[in-house]
Amino acid sequence: MLKYSTAYFYTMIKVAVVEDLDDYRNGLVNLINWTDGYECTGAYATAEEAIKELPALKPDVALIDISLPGKSGIELVEYIHQNISSILCMMCTAYDEDEKVFKALQAGAYGYLLKTTSPADIMNAVQQLVNGGAPMSSDVARKVIASFQSPKKNNETENLTAREKQVLELLSKGLLYKEIAFQLSISIDTVKRHCFNIYEKLHVSNRTEAINKYHQH
Amino acid sequence: MLKYSTAYFYTMIKVAVVEDLDDYRNGLVNLINWTDGYECTGAYATAEEAIKELPALKPDVALIDISLPGKSGIELVEYIHQNISSILCMMCTAYDEDEKVFKALQAGAYGYLLKTTSPADIMNAVQQLVNGGAPMSSDVARKVIASFQSPKKNNETENLTAREKQVLELLSKGLLYKEIAFQLSISIDTVKRHCFNIYEKLHVSNRTEAINKYHQH
DNA sequence: TTTACAATAGCACTTTTGTGGTAGAAACCC
DNA sequence: GGGTTTCTACCACAAAAGTGCTATTGTAAA
């Protein structure tokens, strides 16, 4: 490797692999090391092993099997996303695991590969990931979008007057009546009145329920 | 059209176009009508015109320019998503409008086209949309995923015991102390105690603030 | 010009919350 | 075994929230 320039070495993209099937894991490791500009800095059969070493190695990318024995790939992604967020996670999955893929993305992955993907396409996907993309199939993308779209607004909150919405907004920040009164330069009793009206309009009976309706969830 | 079989007619995918540039709009209309299996059921220069006719026509797909004069394409998507949710919206956009595209997706679109896209690829994208996909570029997909991923959990909430988390969960639903007590089969005073401890650990002083910390925001 | 509604405010009262103290039983860790 | 933490529970009190009245003002709609 050092035969080539050291400058080249420094731009190497470091990839780790977490996969329980020995053959597939070794295949990935070889593929990565054989590809110009990439090096495999770690290969693990379980999430537990990976968690021990990844924090020190900090690879750029981690290829993670979605269904690892023991601690699952999804749990591993969650751990990495929460604790070593510089690592970009890509899931490796068999067919028909849409639900799992979705959960993995939610947990912190940015893409996934089918295990049937060709070596060239695997490295394309990794490259895409590093370049700020999110390699995934179109139907998974649709699911992701659907879940991120703002939920349909409840008509009920639209019945609120501007002032009531303002009060509700402050209410949702956890302010007391007297604090809201101070902020809006009105009396506590008026704030109470607004809240009372808000609760009636939203058909709820306390601030928490009102806030929940307001935030839709 | 009816020259061909009527069965064929019934499976036609209906596409509407909302685009202010006459040439581009007409180009899309022709492209759609020339493509087997598709028909254009409406072409509008503004969102306002579209809103008048779309509820009755209910096309399968709407191609919408993202920056329409007057009511924007994003507002139109929002309207459609809220009111005629059977229509799949795809945005048409020039370059460098990532932010707008992102907002359009959030408002209810499921994909987007660059205006430089070739006729064949446009119809591919429409097909993808109808088949449950979400045609978009990889970097927009990444943005979408990033915003949908569960935010990093606050360390503070991790200090809570299992029971405290359970209480906080119920608290966040708007339940009263006595309701929580009933659900957990413990006394009201114990619930109060748990809440008191929760507030201390989270450094807050009422349920709303605790819930806000819990939900991270 | 009525009518309707929004915003304001006060008062009285009940219920719910939040704070403080104490304390026993069970589980877990050195 | 001894120490620590967690869950449980009771009491008392202060603070805040919620409910039910009434009432004035300004503004917008019919």
Side-chain angles (χ1 to χ4, degrees):
Chain A
M1 218 149 39
L2 287 175
K3 228 193 287 187
Y4 308 106
S5 83
T6 44
Y8 192 77
F9 175 80
Y10 284 121
T11 61
M12 284 287 218
I13 292 166
K14 291 181 283 179
V15 183
V17 178
V18 190
E19 160 68 58
D20 57 316
L21 299 176
D22 292 347
D23 289 348
Y24 192 74
R25 183 180 65 249
N26 291 334
L28 284 174
V29 172
N30 287 333
L31 170 64
I32 293 162
N33 283 329
W34 287 341
T35 306
D36 266 2
Y38 291 88
E39 60 174 337
C40 182
T41 59
Y44 315 96
T46 65
E48 288 80 358
E49 289 173 48
I51 287 179
K52 274 186 209 154
E53 299 203 12
L54 290 183
L57 290 173
K58 294 201 179 174
D60 302 294
V61 174
L63 303 185
I64 302 172
D65 186 284
I66 208 160
S67 332
L68 295 168
K71 206 180 183 85
S72 79
I74 295 173
E75 289 171 281
L76 177 56
V77 167
E78 194 159 12
Y79 172 82
I80 292 174
H81 188 235
Q82 302 288 332
N83 301 291
I84 333 170
S85 52
S86 67
I87 302 178
L88 295 167
C89 294
M90 178 139 61
M91 310 312 292
C92 302
T93 161
Y95 310 91
D96 275 332
E97 299 194 293
D98 269 21
E99 222 18 77
K100 281 190 185 172
V101 168
F102 185 77
K103 282 195 181 140
L105 292 173
Q106 202 157 31
Y110 275 113
Y112 74 92
L113 290 172
L114 288 178
K115 288 207 173 171
T116 51
T117 307
S118 72
D121 285 342
I122 289 178
M123 294 316 292
N124 274 339
V126 173
Q127 183 70 56
Q128 230 185 94
L129 195 70
V130 172
N131 288 343
M136 70 183 62
S137 77
S138 192
D139 55 324
V140 168
R142 169 80 79 98
K143 269 198 180 178
V144 170
I145 291 175
S147 97
F148 121 104
Q149 283 172 350
S150 48
K152 295 195 180 185
K153 277 188 190 149
N154 197 323
N155 294 334
E156 290 181 304
T157 50
E158 284 168 19
N159 292 331
L160 300 181
T161 68
R163 196 57 154 176
E164 284 163 355
K165 284 179 190 166
Q166 202 176 6
V167 171
L168 186 47
E169 177 63 32
L170 295 172
L171 210 58
S172 77
K173 290 183 182 165
L175 273 68
L176 303 179
Y177 283 157
K178 61 177 166 190
E179 292 170 327
I180 296 173
F182 179 76
Q183 278 223 8
L184 299 180
S185 303
I186 55 180
S187 84
I188 288 191
D189 287 306
T190 303
V191 176
K192 283 187 181 183
R193 172 97 342 240
H194 284 310
C195 290
F196 186 73
N197 292 334
I198 290 167
Y199 300 161
E200 278 205 321
K201 287 188 183 176
L202 301 186
H203 308 111
V204 297
S205 53
N206 64 52
R207 57 212 287 138
T208 306
E209 288 179 335
I211 293 164
N212 285 343
K213 276 233 163 154
Y214 182 55
H215 286 144
Q216 241 64 73
H217 208 31
Chain B
M1 218 149 40
L2 286 175
K3 229 193 285 190
Y4 308 106
S5 83
T6 45
Y8 193 78
F9 175 80
Y10 284 120
T11 60
M12 284 286 217
I13 291 166
K14 293 183 283 182
V15 183
V17 177
V18 190
E19 160 68 58
D20 58 314
L21 299 176
D22 292 348
D23 289 348
Y24 192 73
R25 183 179 64 251
N26 292 334
L28 284 174
V29 172
N30 287 333
L31 170 62
I32 292 161
N33 283 329
W34 288 341
T35 306
D36 267 2
Y38 292 88
E39 61 175 336
C40 181
T41 59
Y44 316 95
T46 65
E48 288 80 356
E49 289 173 48
I51 286 178
K52 275 186 209 155
E53 298 203 14
L54 289 183
L57 290 173
K58 294 200 180 177
D60 303 294
V61 175
L63 303 184
I64 302 172
D65 186 285
I66 208 161
S67 330
L68 294 168
K71 207 180 181 87
S72 78
I74 295 173
E75 289 171 281
L76 177 56
V77 167
E78 194 160 10
Y79 172 82
I80 292 174
H81 188 233
Q82 301 289 330
N83 300 292
I84 334 169
S85 52
S86 67
I87 302 177
L88 294 168
C89 295
M90 177 138 64
M91 311 312 292
C92 302
T93 161
Y95 309 91
D96 274 334
E97 299 193 294
D98 270 21
E99 223 17 77
K100 280 190 186 173
V101 168
F102 185 77
K103 282 193 181 139
L105 292 174
Q106 201 156 31
Y110 275 113
Y112 73 93
L113 289 173
L114 288 178
K115 289 206 173 170
T116 50
T117 307
S118 72
D121 284 342
I122 290 177
M123 294 316 292
N124 274 340
V126 173
Q127 184 70 56
Q128 228 183 96
L129 195 68
V130 172
N131 289 343
M136 70 182 62
S137 77
S138 189
D139 56 325
V140 169
R142 168 81 79 101
K143 268 197 180 178
V144 171
I145 291 177
S147 98
F148 122 105
Q149 283 172 350
S150 47
K152 295 195 182 184
K153 279 192 185 141
N154 195 321
N155 294 334
E156 289 182 305
T157 51
E158 283 169 20
N159 292 331
L160 300 181
T161 67
R163 196 58 154 176
E164 284 163 355
K165 284 180 191 166
Q166 202 176 7
V167 170
L168 185 48
E169 177 63 35
L170 295 172
L171 209 58
S172 77
K173 291 183 180 162
L175 290 142
L176 303 178
Y177 284 158
K178 61 177 167 190
E179 293 171 326
I180 296 173
F182 179 75
Q183 279 224 7
L184 299 181
S185 304
I186 55 179
S187 84
I188 289 190
D189 287 306
T190 303
V191 176
K192 282 188 182 182
R193 173 94 342 229
H194 284 311
C195 289
F196 185 72
N197 292 333
I198 289 168
Y199 300 160
E200 277 205 322
K201 288 188 184 175
L202 301 186
H203 308 111
V204 298
S205 53
N206 64 53
R207 55 212 289 138
T208 306
E209 289 179 333
I211 293 164
N212 285 343
K213 276 235 164 151
Y214 182 56
H215 287 144
Q216 240 62 71
H217 207 32

